[in-house]
Amino acid sequence: MNLPSFLWLWRIAAWSMGFALLTYFALAISGGSLFYLRSQGKTGPDFLRPLHLIIGALLVLLVFLLLSIGIVGTIGHFGSLGHSPHLLLGILVALLVSVSAISALNIQKYSWLRWVHIAINFLLLAGFIGVSWTGWIVVQKYLPKNL
Ligand code: HEM
Ligand code: HEM
């Protein structure tokens, strides 16, 4: 086992995941504020909507970074994919975050997409918990043998 490259893989994964969770909660707060303000018939500060959009773009980037690191690292190390449920959950999270972003960008045209966006984001939280859980299990499978 090539220890340095393997630690490198999961260290970036853990940091990116930390930032991804941070952006998720920033999105929950800014999105929730937008929702509340709209329900009160208010508009709120001008920066709120673009801020939510920019943080959202950041989350999409982080998730695809994690997906690429996971796939490249696993193929580089094992020569194949699919060593645990982590693969399926990783792909699911990447799909959910894409649907969330695409639905959000079309809310102006089709207002019912607002509810798709919100529902998908609840599923996304469950997906994040699942992918962190299985990622952590995978990490522990290797760490004790090598440290
Ligand atoms: C995947 C990344 C995300 C992107 C690109 C994104 C983008 C957007 C955009 C552009 C809107 C405004 C739609 C409009 O009024 O035209 C919106 C609305 C909203 N977003 Fe997000 N979002 C993302 C993730 C999230 C997450 C993770 C949450 C909550 C956990 C969230 C909660 C909300 C809510 C509640 C609204 C409705 C605001 C309202 O009623 O006016 N978003 N999102
Ligand atoms: C959105 C978050 C994440 C995505 C999309 C993702 C995606 C992936 C994918 C697709 C693989 C290939 C799995 C396989 O073919 O069996 C992988 C592997 C891996 N991931 Fe992740 N991952 C994420 C988060 C994490 C986290 C939080 C950790 C650890 C803290 C982690 C640790 C690993 C490790 C150690 C591997 C090597 C696989 C193995 O030995 O079976 N990942 N990841």
Side-chain angles (χ1 to χ4, degrees):
M1 156 136 349
N2 187 345
L3 183 61
S5 73
F6 203 73
L7 275 182
W8 173 87
L9 169 78
W10 90 263
R11 209 170 262 159
I12 295 185
W15 273 99
S16 315
M17 195 65 198
F19 281 118
L21 288 172
L22 215 67
T23 59
Y24 183 92
F25 288 110
L27 285 164
I29 292 167
S30 53
S33 307
L34 284 169
F35 191 87
Y36 173 77
L37 287 164
R38 201 172 41 77
S39 77
Q40 301 291 302
K42 298 178 188 155
T43 43
D46 285 344
F47 66 81
L48 201 54
R49 195 174 168 276
L51 181 71
H52 183 75
L53 185 59
I54 290 167
I55 303 173
L58 204 67
L59 177 64
V60 174
L61 281 178
L62 282 169
V63 166
F64 277 90
L65 175 71
L66 277 156
L67 185 70
S68 329
I69 293 172
I71 288 176
V72 170
T74 302
I75 289 181
H77 194 78
F78 296 102
S80 66
L81 289 176
H83 300 274
S84 76
H86 188 67
L87 173 64
L88 222 81
L89 280 167
I91 292 171
L92 185 75
V93 163
L95 281 178
L96 284 173
V97 87
S98 308
V99 174
S100 174
I102 292 167
S103 64
L105 293 175
N106 291 287
I107 289 177
Q108 310 261 309
K109 257 184 282 171
Y110 310 99
S111 62
W112 53 269
L113 280 177
R114 171 170 284 118
W115 299 106
V116 174
H117 182 63
I118 293 171
I120 291 286
N121 288 326
F122 279 106
L123 292 177
L124 188 58
L125 182 61
F128 273 143
I129 292 169
V131 90
S132 307
W133 178 261
T134 54
W136 181 238
I137 289 174
V138 172
V139 166
Q140 288 192 322
K141 207 166 68 186
Y142 300 103
L143 277 186
K145 274 190 267 175
N146 295 290
L147 287 182

